[in-house]
């Protein structure tokens, strides 16, 4: 029953409604404005037996309001994406909106700050997506009944800021939750044997990576180019514009190279060392990381948090360097196949990948931080490289190009296979710990809602007072 209750609360309600609000649908309403009905080509699909109502305020949470049309817009967005609304009641939709409002309201009370730069970055991402879907920003503006792009951006910025506040508040609650080995053990013991989860087939994989050597001349060309960009910036050019034009970092280039980070943000050490050594407005000299060469400008420092922009340029790898790297990795493979050295020993002594060579080349699953990869959830590229390998077979040299265009050669081998099986405490501790932590996080969030609902002004009017909510919004 334990797992069934967990699924009922997280999947049937939470996850279903979260999916409903994917993309910008999560907080489609404005906190300060009553929105007129949107002009659409077909009527909103409302679940059978329910009438569409005249728009108006149906709920208040702290400083935020919820309109009746906000629920209708939620249904509209789901059907527009090809989804079904038949199993989602208006009460459930309202419950999700109330949760988002309380998160945002409490974030403000807790002095959580969302910067204009963050909102601009989110705005760029969302607008790019919307334009890809409909082909023209003016169609987006017309959909929201705004008179101009600027009016829409002002309106949408408030929505995005509310989204981010809710997200940061949720993160603050969840990140504070920790779980002990004893709690994990007790969680597992409470699960009836006939309700133990089944884990799919998995494998453990190791690799050896050889990087082509970049010549000193090619490295100097990159440093000279970055120094020229730095000089232009110091003379008044826009760093953000330069990042869009020249940076090879696909994750930040479209946003002008923008990142927000603390010392705990998972960036490479060299990058963080430079970022936290600069003052506001200061532009770094070119510096090297495993990704290439960077320059950074710090825009704002807020306590332990830094808002910055960066430009990444990687040196070009010559065909000669690629050929030399391939010959080197072929020699490594021959030594392993001829039993002169084990794969793990070769990884420790020959691999150029710092993250894996100390562990004999063993890969860590980025989603679970475990060494196991579930076959049905494995990265398609990695799966294609290992799917036809026998146990302990060493692949032929593989030319790999990452998302930044960096080329390397690698060898891959499967070190262990785990068949599909019922959960075992010793073998599956990491996964069981994750389940136990999720349950504790859900419980913590429920307690948080119980407490904050009591301390916050909340008003629900009309027939929505008859809803059977997950949380005690009516304070009964």
């Amino acid at each position: 029953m334990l797992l069934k209750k967990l699924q009922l609360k997280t999947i049937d309600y939470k996850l279903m409604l979260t999916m409903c609000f994917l993309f910008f649908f999560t907080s489609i309403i404005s906190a300060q404005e009553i929105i007129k009905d949107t002009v659409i080509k077909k009527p909103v699909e409302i679940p059978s037996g329910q009438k569409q109502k005249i728009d108006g305020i149906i709920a208040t949470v702290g400083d935020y309001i919820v309109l009746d049309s906000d629920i209708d817009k939620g249904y509209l967005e789901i059907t527009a994406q090809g989804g079904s609304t038949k199993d989602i009641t208006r009460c459930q939709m309202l419950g999700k909106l109330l949760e988002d409002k309380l998160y945002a309201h409490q974030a403000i009370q807790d002095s959580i700050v969302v910067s204009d730069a963050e909102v601009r970055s989110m705005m760029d991402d969302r607008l790019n997506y919307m334009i890809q879907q409909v082909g023209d920003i003016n169609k987006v503006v017309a959909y929201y009944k705004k008179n101009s792009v600027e009016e829409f951006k002002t309106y949408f910025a408030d929505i995005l800021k509310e989204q981010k506040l809710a997200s940061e508040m949720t993160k603050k609650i969840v990140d504070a939750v920790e779980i002990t080995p004893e709690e994990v053990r007790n969680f597992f013991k409470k699960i009836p044997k006939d309700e133990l989860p089944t884990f799919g087939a998995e494998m453990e994989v190791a690799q050896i990576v050889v990087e082509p050597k970049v010549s000193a001349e090619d490295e100097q060309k990159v440093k000279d180019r970055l120094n020229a960009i730095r000089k232009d910036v110091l003379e008044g050019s826009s760093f953000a514009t330069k990042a869009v034009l020249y940076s090879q970092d696909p994750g930040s280039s479209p946003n002008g190279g923008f990142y927000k980070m603390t010392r705990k943000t998972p960036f490479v050490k060299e990058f963080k060392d430079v970022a936290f050594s600069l003052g506001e407005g200061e532009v770094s000299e070119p510096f090297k990381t495993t990704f290439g060469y960077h320059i950074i400008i710090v825009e704002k420092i807020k306590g332990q948090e830094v808002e910055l922009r960066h430009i990444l340029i990687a040196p070009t790898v010559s065909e000669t360097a690629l050929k030399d790297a391939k010959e080197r990795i072929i020699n490594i493979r021959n030594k392993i196949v001829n039993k002169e050295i084990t794969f793990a020993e070769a990884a420790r002594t020959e691999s150029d990948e710092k993250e894996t060579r100390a562990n004999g080349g063993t890969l860590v699953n980025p989603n679970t931080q475990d060494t196991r990869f579930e076959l049905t959830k494995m990265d398609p590229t990695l799966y294609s490289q290992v799917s036809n390998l026998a146990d302990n077979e060493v692949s032929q040299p593989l030319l790999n190009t990452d998302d930044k265009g960096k080329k390397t050669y690698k060898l891959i081998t499967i070190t262990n296979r785990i068949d599909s099986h019922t959960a075992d405490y010793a073998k599956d501790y990491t996964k069981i710990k994750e389940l136990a932590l999720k349950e504790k996080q859900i419980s913590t969030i429920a307690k948080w809602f119980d407490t904050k609902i009591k301390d916050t002004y909340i008003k629900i009017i009309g027939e929505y007072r008859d809803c059977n909510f997950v949380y005690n919004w009516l304070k009964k």
Side-chain angles (χ1 to χ4, degrees):
M1 290 299 295
L2 180 66
L3 287 180
K4 289 180 180 177
K5 290 180 180 177
L6 181 61
Q7 290 170 347
L8 177 63
K9 196 165 187 178
T10 61
I11 298 176
D12 292 343
Y13 176 67
K14 295 283 186 184
L15 294 185
M16 178 176 66
L17 289 183
T18 298
M19 289 176 65
C20 299
F21 287 83
L22 279 176
F23 180 52
F24 59 96
F25 318 143
T26 308
S27 298
I28 199 145
I29 55 178
S30 167
Q32 309 297 334
E33 178 182 13
I34 297 179
I35 309 166
K36 297 179 182 179
D37 290 337
T38 302
V39 175
I40 55 178
K41 294 183 179 179
K42 60 180 180 178
V44 176
E45 182 181 330
I46 304 297
S48 60
Q50 297 181 7
K51 298 179 180 179
Q52 188 169 355
K53 304 168 184 62
I54 298 174
D55 197 15
I57 298 175
I58 58 172
T60 304
V61 179
D63 297 327
Y64 293 92
I65 62 172
V66 180
L67 307 177
D68 199 52
S69 63
D70 299 332
I71 297 177
D72 295 334
K73 288 190 176 94
Y75 285 119
L76 175 63
E77 300 300 352
I78 296 169
T79 55
Q81 295 297 311
S84 172
T85 61
K86 66 178 182 179
D87 295 324
I88 305 173
T89 67
R90 294 183 74 84
C91 288
Q92 287 176 320
M93 193 77 76
L94 175 58
K96 180 64 173 66
L97 292 171
L98 293 172
E99 291 174 25
D100 291 341
K101 296 305 176 188
L102 185 56
Y103 279 134
H105 171 77
Q106 192 59 44
I108 294 174
Q109 308 308 307
D110 289 2
S111 300
I112 293 176
V113 177
V114 175
S115 69
D116 291 341
E118 288 178 277
V119 175
R120 286 195 300 270
S121 177
M122 293 170 66
M123 177 80 75
D124 290 341
D125 290 341
R126 301 295 178 88
L127 284 181
N128 288 338
Y129 180 88
M130 283 189 250
I131 293 169
Q132 287 176 5
Q133 298 303 306
V134 301
D136 185 357
I137 191 173
N138 291 316
K139 292 181 180 179
V140 178
V141 174
Y143 179 87
Y144 282 94
K145 297 274 290 185
K146 300 303 175 184
N147 296 319
S148 66
V149 172
E150 287 307 313
E151 183 183 349
F152 168 74
K153 285 185 175 182
T154 301
Y155 156 77
F156 200 47
D158 291 337
I159 295 175
L160 294 177
K161 186 170 185 178
E162 183 185 322
Q163 277 188 340
K164 186 64 175 177
L165 284 169
S167 173
E168 290 296 316
M169 190 68 246
T170 307
K171 185 176 183 295
K172 180 179 178 180
I173 299 167
V174 171
D175 285 353
V177 180
E178 297 179 346
I179 195 160
T180 66
E182 183 64 23
E183 288 175 310
V184 177
R185 189 179 300 109
N186 290 336
F187 169 83
F188 187 75
K189 287 180 178 179
K190 288 190 295 183
I191 305 174
K193 287 186 177 181
D194 61 348
E195 294 182 15
L196 287 170
T198 298
F199 297 126
E202 299 171 306
M203 63 172 57
E204 293 179 317
V205 180
Q207 68 181 23
I208 295 171
V209 177
V210 170
E211 298 180 359
K213 302 301 181 184
V214 178
S215 68
E217 181 182 357
D218 288 333
E219 289 197 345
Q220 189 59 49
K221 288 179 181 178
V222 171
K223 289 189 283 186
D224 290 344
R225 188 178 179 192
L226 285 172
N227 274 319
I229 293 173
R230 180 177 185 270
K231 182 174 181 293
D232 288 345
V233 171
L234 293 176
E235 292 176 354
S237 295
S238 166
F239 193 104
T241 300
K242 297 284 188 182
V244 172
L245 293 173
Y246 304 117
S247 181
Q248 295 173 358
D249 178 12
S252 68
S253 176
N255 299 322
F258 179 81
Y259 280 122
K260 182 176 74 169
M261 59 185 290
T262 68
R263 290 192 180 275
K264 294 182 179 180
T265 304
F267 280 60
V268 293
K269 181 179 183 298
E270 297 88 346
F271 191 95
K272 289 196 286 188
D273 286 347
V274 174
F276 287 99
S277 69
L278 300 173
E280 288 189 2
E282 191 173 355
V283 184
S284 75
E285 301 282 348
F287 65 95
K288 186 178 181 179
T289 71
T290 56
F291 301 103
Y293 284 88
H294 312 249
I295 55 172
I296 290 175
I297 184 171
V298 169
E299 293 191 333
K300 188 175 293 185
I301 300 174
K302 296 187 293 186
Q304 300 300 312
E305 187 176 81
V306 172
E307 293 180 7
L308 58 82
R309 296 184 187 274
H310 91 120
I311 295 172
L312 165 68
I313 300 178
T316 301
V317 175
S318 68
E319 290 300 320
T320 300
L322 274 174
K323 181 180 178 181
D324 291 343
K326 186 174 183 179
E327 289 178 357
R328 181 183 162 202
I329 205 164
I330 288 173
N331 290 334
I332 295 171
R333 184 180 186 278
N334 289 338
K335 290 180 181 179
I336 298 170
V337 172
N338 294 331
K339 310 295 184 183
E340 298 176 31
I341 191 172
T342 67
F343 193 99
E345 289 169 344
R348 293 188 184 98
T349 58
E350 301 287 350
S351 182
D352 292 328
E353 188 173 60
K354 295 179 181 179
E355 295 82 3
T356 61
R357 67 187 180 197
N359 296 322
T362 300
L363 292 177
V364 174
N365 189 330
N367 298 320
T368 63
Q369 299 306 308
D370 192 6
T371 57
R372 296 182 182 182
F373 291 82
E374 190 170 344
L375 299 190
T376 58
K377 299 178 181 178
M378 184 178 283
D379 176 79
T381 301
L382 179 60
Y383 180 78
S384 69
Q385 294 169 342
V386 301
S387 58
N388 294 322
L389 289 178
D391 291 348
N392 298 314
E393 179 185 358
V394 181
S395 73
Q396 293 294 328
L398 301 167
L399 178 61
N400 183 69
T401 304
D402 65 16
D403 57 359
K404 296 179 177 61
K406 182 179 179 180
K407 293 182 177 180
T408 57
Y409 276 100
K410 65 180 180 180
L411 302 174
I412 294 181
T413 190
I414 298 172
T415 59
N416 189 24
R417 294 182 191 270
I418 303 97
D419 294 332
S420 177
H421 62 283
T422 300
D424 178 274
Y425 182 76
K427 294 179 180 178
D428 303 302
Y429 179 80
T430 300
K431 291 184 177 63
I432 294 166
K433 178 182 177 182
E434 183 180 350
L435 290 173
L437 179 61
K438 285 181 179 178
E439 185 193 52
K440 188 173 182 180
Q441 288 171 340
I442 290 169
S443 176
T444 301
I445 288 174
K447 291 176 182 177
W448 183 89
F449 271 110
D450 287 342
T451 300
K452 299 305 177 184
I453 286 173
K454 292 176 183 176
D455 297 338
T456 305
Y457 174 77
I458 297 170
K459 184 178 181 181
I460 299 172
I461 64 174
E463 64 184 62
Y464 291 104
R465 293 187 61 81
D466 296 328
C467 288
N468 184 21
F469 295 113
V470 172
Y471 298 116
N472 186 28
W473 297 109
L474 298 171
K475 301 187 180 183
K476 293 181 178 179

